[in-house]
Amino acid sequence: MRDAYLVGAGQSDYGAFPSESYRSLFRTAFDAATNSVPKGLEAEDVDEAFVGNLGVGGRQLGLSGPAVTEHVGLDGVPCTRVENACAASGFAVRQAVQAVKSGMADIVLAGGFEIMSDMSSDATKYWLGVSGETEWERLSGTTFSGVYAQMASVHMERYGTTREHLSRVAVKNHSNGAKNPHAQLGFECSLEDAQSAPVVADPLNLYHCCPTSDGAACALIVSEDVVDDYTDDPIRVAGVGAGSDTVGLFQRDTYTGVPASQRAAESAYEMADVAPDELDFAEVHDCFAIAELLAYEDLGFCEKGEAGQLIESGATELGGELPVNTSGGLKSKGHPIGATGAGQVVEAYKQLSGKAGERQVENPARGLTHNVGGSGGASVVHIFEKEREVSA
């Protein structure tokens, strides 16, 4: 199969934008992505598109992909909407890579969008809940935060993980998000702030939970046959892995890990022929602080049960051995469900292009993105690597 390359990526701001529509946010992301391509890329160059979207609020559940692609000038371009809950656009990126590697297309757009801020809190809880098991979780009253609280409680009991460890995730990610002009919660917080916030679902408090967000993100994947037409500094999609699992947490054998993420990571590492200690940074799915700690273990950044020690060591901070969520993560940058996976790829593109500003990792050669649907019903991992040196 042919190699696939990431030649551009961009996003809208994440936040609450009552004057914007899902189309206008997608336009912002698409324009940012095409403008980021070093040698330029036009809408008419695109052969195919994959767009991630959960459809919060039910605005345009049918044909929401073509609704945004035609708006940005991709008239007639085949477009497929991908829905895998919070992993929707991560899987859209995977589909784009598959289309390029298979020879079906040379230039593919992968993106996503979501509008979440214009509903009541009860309605928002409903739409978040549809990513869990409907009959035995959502309809029985379990919330999305409640499911992750169960995971946190078991991890704390079994491995000695503490509320302070959870709060350190928030402090780190807010510190990074404060350096990201696109972040919804772009401010720093102290450890005291993160530990004393109101409880949402014990042991998780407000600072342990990501916000609901509006936003869009896009990435451009091209084949080895045309990559030199768009950049002299190619970023190769070195590895891709995906996994799925039971939708309901109660159906699984473990509450202290996400087997779909473990399977996705194993596949991505094998394809890229790299080990976790060869990564220079990672964007992981931190919808709740416990989710980031679980990701450390699921992705092989540390041994089982040692995530608390890893966050406490400072290794995953900007400037640490393996910076995690330099963008601010879902916690600070925001979590517009359908856009989140593609938004992680935006950060990978900026880091590997030397364009991450104040949060730039020093001379990174390889990075990972990790996107999870629901509480682990689906997961996708990508590994990106530079083929040539790029000066910051």
Side-chain angles (χ1 to χ4, degrees):
M1 292 189 291
R2 302 185 300 177
D3 271 335
Y5 293 85
L6 173 67
V7 297
Q11 65 169 92
S12 70
D13 291 344
Y14 287 177
F17 307 111
S19 63
E20 298 277 4
S21 70
Y22 65 91
R23 286 185 171 99
S24 66
L25 288 170
F26 193 83
R27 161 68 73 180
T28 298
F30 177 77
D31 288 347
T34 54
N35 290 335
S36 74
V37 179
K39 295 184 180 181
L41 187 148
E42 304 296 330
E44 53 264 30
D45 296 341
V46 177
D47 298 319
E48 189 157 355
F50 296 92
V51 177
N53 176 245
L54 177 64
V56 168
R59 285 164 199 80
Q60 182 67 49
L61 286 175
L63 298 177
S64 57
V68 292
T69 54
E70 62 84 18
H71 182 70
V72 300
L74 301 183
D75 306 72
V77 172
C79 179
T80 303
R81 175 201 174 201
V82 180
E83 189 282 292
N84 240 354
C86 316
S89 60
F91 274 85
V93 173
R94 178 176 181 263
Q95 292 297 108
V97 172
Q98 288 182 324
V100 165
K101 281 183 166 292
S102 71
M104 290 289 289
D106 279 315
I107 303 156
V108 184
L109 170 70
F113 66 90
E114 208 74 60
I115 297 284
M116 304 179 68
S117 69
D118 62 347
M119 296 178 294
S120 69
S121 59
D122 286 343
T124 301
K125 287 177 184 177
Y126 171 86
W127 282 98
L128 289 171
V130 300
S131 297
E133 204 282 331
T134 300
E135 186 175 7
W136 295 104
E137 286 184 346
R138 181 172 63 79
L139 293 183
S140 65
T142 303
T143 63
F144 201 32
S145 55
V147 169
Y148 274 91
Q150 293 176 58
M151 299 167 85
S153 296
V154 177
H155 201 277
M156 293 168 75
E157 179 181 352
R158 185 165 299 169
Y159 299 115
T161 307
T162 66
R163 285 179 171 83
E164 181 176 323
H165 292 141
L166 298 172
S167 296
R168 285 183 179 275
V169 172
V171 172
K172 172 182 67 70
N173 291 350
H174 272 281
S175 178
N176 295 341
K179 301 175 180 67
N180 186 348
H182 295 301
Q184 179 175 358
L185 303 180
F187 55 83
E188 295 188 4
C189 73
S190 68
L191 185 59
E192 181 181 358
D193 291 334
Q195 288 184 291
S196 61
V199 172
V200 174
D202 190 51
L204 303 178
N205 69 33
L206 188 63
Y207 269 93
H208 302 151
C209 307
C210 70
T212 54
S213 316
D214 304 337
C218 290
L220 292 157
I221 308 295
V222 308
S223 74
E224 62 183 37
D225 297 333
V226 301
V227 64
D228 290 338
D229 295 338
Y230 296 101
T231 183
D232 293 325
D233 300 308
I235 298 171
R236 189 168 72 95
V237 185
V240 182
S244 60
D245 202 346
T246 59
V247 177
L249 176 62
F250 70 94
Q251 298 169 293
R252 296 182 207 149
D253 294 331
T254 179
Y255 277 30
T256 61
V258 178
S261 291
Q262 296 163 15
R263 288 190 285 269
E266 289 170 3
S267 297
Y269 289 138
E270 181 178 0
M271 182 176 177
D273 193 25
V274 301
D277 62 5
E278 295 178 87
L279 300 171
D280 296 305
F281 66 89
E283 287 287 300
V284 308
H285 197 91
D286 62 318
C287 49
F288 299 92
I290 185 61
E292 177 163 329
L293 297 181
L294 295 181
Y296 292 173
E297 298 172 6
D298 292 335
L299 301 174
F301 301 165
C302 65
E303 295 298 320
K304 191 71 177 174
E306 296 181 359
Q309 299 169 44
L310 186 63
I311 186 68
E312 191 171 355
S313 74
T316 58
E317 296 176 6
L318 195 61
E321 184 179 345
L322 178 61
V324 174
N325 286 336
T326 57
S327 69
L330 285 61
K331 174 63 195 78
S332 175
K333 182 184 178 184
H335 183 26
I337 289 176
T340 290
Q344 293 176 323
V345 175
V346 172
E347 182 69 7
Y349 179 74
K350 289 182 177 180
Q351 288 289 350
L352 292 171
S353 300
K355 298 176 180 178
E358 292 181 75
R359 61 188 191 281
Q360 180 65 52
V361 173
E362 185 177 356
N363 195 30
R366 187 179 293 115
L368 173 149
T369 64
H370 158 254
N371 190 200
V372 176
S375 62
S379 183
V380 60
V381 170
H382 292 90
I383 297 172
F384 302 92
E385 65 180 18
K386 290 191 308 191
E387 291 203 332
R388 304 165 197 165
E389 284 294 319
V390 179
S391 59

